[in-house]
Amino acid sequence: MNHRIGSNAAVMRRWLDLAHRDLVRHAPVLDALNVFPVADADTGTNLAATVRAAAEAAAVIETTDVGELLALAGQAALEEARGNSGTLFSVFLTAVGRSLEGSTRLSAETARLALHAGHVRAWSVLTDPVPGTMLSVLEAAAAVPVPEDVGEGTNQQLKDFLHDVRAAALEAVPATTGQLEVLRETGTVDAGALGMLVVLDALARTVGGEDLVAEAAVQRLLDTAAASAPRPADAPHAVLGGVEVMCTVELSPLDAAELRHELSEVGSSVIMSAVTEVGEAYRWRVHVHVERPEDALAVISPRGEPVALSVTSLSEAAGAAGAEDG
């Protein structure tokens, strides 16, 4: 298939749209694989919904600046992010955009720097980052060097670079099985890692066009993962209860650091990321798993009014997935 390589703002809009459509298509597999950090069977659903928010924002942002487009789309996604996976994707996309601000097109070198920035930012917002997750795929992507056997700064170099990024992600996903105890027990790959591969594959396809060999490799991995996914009722470390609390709150950097510590003492899976600057403070998106919503709100509310608050029962999410599977 002949394809004109593109890397401008219009192409980035198409990337987010394609990533959303691919995640919707693969959401059942990703949901079935979801056993970490809790087996609530919603990684694919959460990623698809969050990337949709980014794609919808990008569609109406009028700019030719690739970085501005992706940073604003990432911020919009972060305001509506769902779950650990959606929050980390939003953080990643925002950091990628900020790295690219001032550019009207991607190059292999600017893409490399942006992927590195996204990887670093995703690690930094987690209180307890661990390998064997989406972070491992981001780390592998960030480590890919720029090809030196093609013209510097050319579209062909960018295409080859993104091909290599996809290949690195393809290797990183199966490796997650041996990096987390719960994945060794199930013999499966991490759902978030596989979801990030879907996102990076969409980027490579949007910029460089069809690559039947690479696309077949991605599909084989998805098929293998689907075949090995545990039924929700059989998943180890089944969810016994608790809730996921997400909200946005305006805080100074110092208050945000103290809140992160306090949330880590009452819950788990703490993610905090600055969305936008407001005077001398920032709007922060907060994510935490706790036994009761009151446990989180008791430490959040004294520091600032939580808005865009959502509370999701982790046990109900897992139960609903099991009912659908039965």
Side-chain angles (χ1 to χ4, degrees):
M1 173 182 175
N2 293 324
H3 177 86
R4 182 178 178 84
I5 300 172
S7 57
N8 58 17
V11 175
M12 294 301 99
R13 293 185 183 94
R14 291 201 295 272
W15 162 44
L16 294 174
D17 183 62
L18 178 61
H20 168 241
R21 288 187 279 118
D22 284 352
L23 285 167
V24 168
R25 183 156 52 95
H26 299 305
V29 173
L30 299 176
D31 287 346
L33 289 168
N34 178 199
V35 295
F36 181 86
V38 289
D40 49 352
D42 62 1
T43 292
T45 300
N46 287 343
L47 260 178
T50 306
V51 176
R52 180 186 64 209
E56 290 177 346
V60 297
I61 296 170
E62 297 183 0
T63 181
T64 59
D65 186 319
V66 170
E68 181 183 29
L69 176 75
L70 295 181
L72 291 175
Q75 290 174 10
L78 191 55
E79 293 279 13
E80 300 184 38
R82 292 175 54 177
N84 293 58
S85 56
T87 304
L88 284 178
F89 166 79
S90 303
V91 168
F92 162 78
L93 185 65
T94 303
V96 164
R98 288 174 178 162
S99 174
L100 293 167
E101 282 180 337
S103 303
T104 57
R105 60 178 292 274
L106 285 179
S107 69
E109 179 60 17
T110 58
R112 182 188 70 81
L113 293 173
L115 289 173
H116 177 72
H119 164 239
V120 170
R121 185 60 181 154
W123 274 86
S124 71
V125 299
L126 288 166
T127 300
D128 186 25
V130 296
T133 63
M134 181 187 290
L135 296 178
S136 294
V137 172
L138 294 179
E139 181 177 24
V144 174
V146 172
E148 297 181 352
D149 56 348
V150 291
E152 186 71 23
T154 62
N155 280 338
Q156 186 60 49
Q157 186 184 48
L158 174 61
K159 176 181 177 179
D160 292 349
F161 172 71
L162 293 177
H163 172 89
D164 293 344
V165 166
R166 173 170 48 194
L170 268 166
E171 292 185 8
V173 172
T176 61
T177 302
Q179 294 174 305
L180 281 173
E181 181 180 355
V182 65
L183 298 179
R184 287 192 291 270
E185 292 178 9
T186 58
T188 58
V189 301
D190 179 67
L194 187 57
M196 196 65 217
L197 168 62
V198 171
V199 171
L200 294 175
D201 173 61
L203 176 60
R205 286 158 55 206
T206 306
V207 172
E210 288 184 357
D211 182 333
L212 297 182
V213 174
E215 290 167 29
V218 173
Q219 188 58 55
R220 283 196 300 272
L221 181 54
L222 284 160
D223 292 342
T224 300
S228 64
R231 292 172 57 87
D234 299 330
H237 303 285
V239 178
L240 300 178
V243 295
E244 174 186 76
V245 176
M246 297 189 69
C247 67
T248 301
V249 61
E250 188 175 317
L251 300 168
S252 70
L254 177 59
D255 281 341
E258 293 176 347
L259 178 58
R260 178 198 288 255
H261 175 72
E262 292 170 355
L263 287 173
S264 297
E265 291 188 333
V266 300
S268 61
S269 296
V270 177
I271 305 176
M272 288 190 60
S273 181
V275 183
T276 54
E277 189 171 357
V278 183
E280 296 182 358
Y282 292 84
R283 285 168 54 81
W284 296 81
R285 191 62 176 164
V286 180
H287 170 283
V288 63
H289 291 170
V290 287
E291 285 299 315
R292 304 172 307 156
E294 294 83 358
D295 297 337
L297 295 176
V299 295
I300 296 173
S301 297
R303 296 190 177 276
E305 181 182 358
V307 298
L309 174 67
S310 67
V311 177
T312 304
S313 170
L314 299 174
S315 56
E316 288 179 6
E324 292 171 3
D325 189 66

